[in-house]
Amino acid sequence: MIFTSLGLLLVALGFLLAGIAKSSVALLMVSLFLTVGAGLVLVLVTAAAQRIVAAQQQQTAPTLVDLTAATPAAAPNGASAPVVGYDDMTAEQVVRLVRSGALSDEQLTMLVEYEERHQARKTVLDRAKAPARR
């Protein structure tokens, strides 16, 4: 589609030069319309490309955790995980979750307590206990 736009611009240039050489308003108007058409093609192609990229990003975006669950998941030892799927999350995923601001203060407190009793990952605890965690 970009080549279509470039082709239209080249044809418009030809009509512009012919219109100037012959002092023809009609040729100049054709040149103007072709130029506007080339611009519209570029705008449409850009919008379509942005929609395609957004759709691809949405399909490949990883979902870290389901925060809509009513109650936390039960851990193997009977303690309650702070969010659904917490035990399967890597330290990096937990840190990203904490940084996102998606957790309430109560959930953050539960997260720290749960992490201390279970895996005790330093990076997770440091980030979750940080004063400016949001």
Side-chain angles (χ1 to χ4, degrees), residues 1-2 41-57:
M1 288 308 228
I2 292 175
V41 167
L42 284 178
V43 168
L44 293 174
V45 168
T46 302
Q50 288 174 343
R51 282 193 304 268
I52 290 169
V53 168
Q56 287 174 344
Q57 287 176 345

Side-chain angles (χ1 to χ4, degrees), residues 89-134:
M89 296 172 71
T90 65
E92 181 181 335
Q93 289 172 324
V94 176
V95 168
R96 270 192 262 147
L97 177 63
V98 171
R99 278 191 198 139
S100 74
L103 299 176
S104 67
D105 288 338
E106 180 181 312
Q107 286 174 312
L108 283 169
T109 302
M110 287 175 57
L111 185 143
V112 169
E113 292 171 0
Y114 187 83
E115 187 67 33
E116 286 173 341
R117 282 185 266 127
H118 293 84
Q119 297 180 40
R121 296 173 285 193
K122 183 173 177 9
T123 54
V124 171
L125 292 172
D126 288 348
R127 184 62 189 171
K129 290 179 180 180
R133 51 185 171 227
R134 292 184 188 218

Side-chain angles (χ1 to χ4, degrees), residues 21-76:
K22 294 185 178 187
S23 296
S24 171
V25 174
L27 292 176
L28 292 173
M29 292 301 292
V30 170
S31 173
L32 176 67
F33 289 132
L34 288 172
T35 304
V36 169
L40 286 174
V41 167
L42 284 178
V43 168
L44 293 174
V45 168
T46 302
Q50 288 174 343
R51 282 193 304 268
I52 290 169
V53 168
Q56 287 174 344
Q57 287 176 345
Q58 192 175 33
Q59 288 175 354
T60 60
T63 303
L64 291 178
V65 66
D66 178 15
L67 295 177
T68 61
T71 57

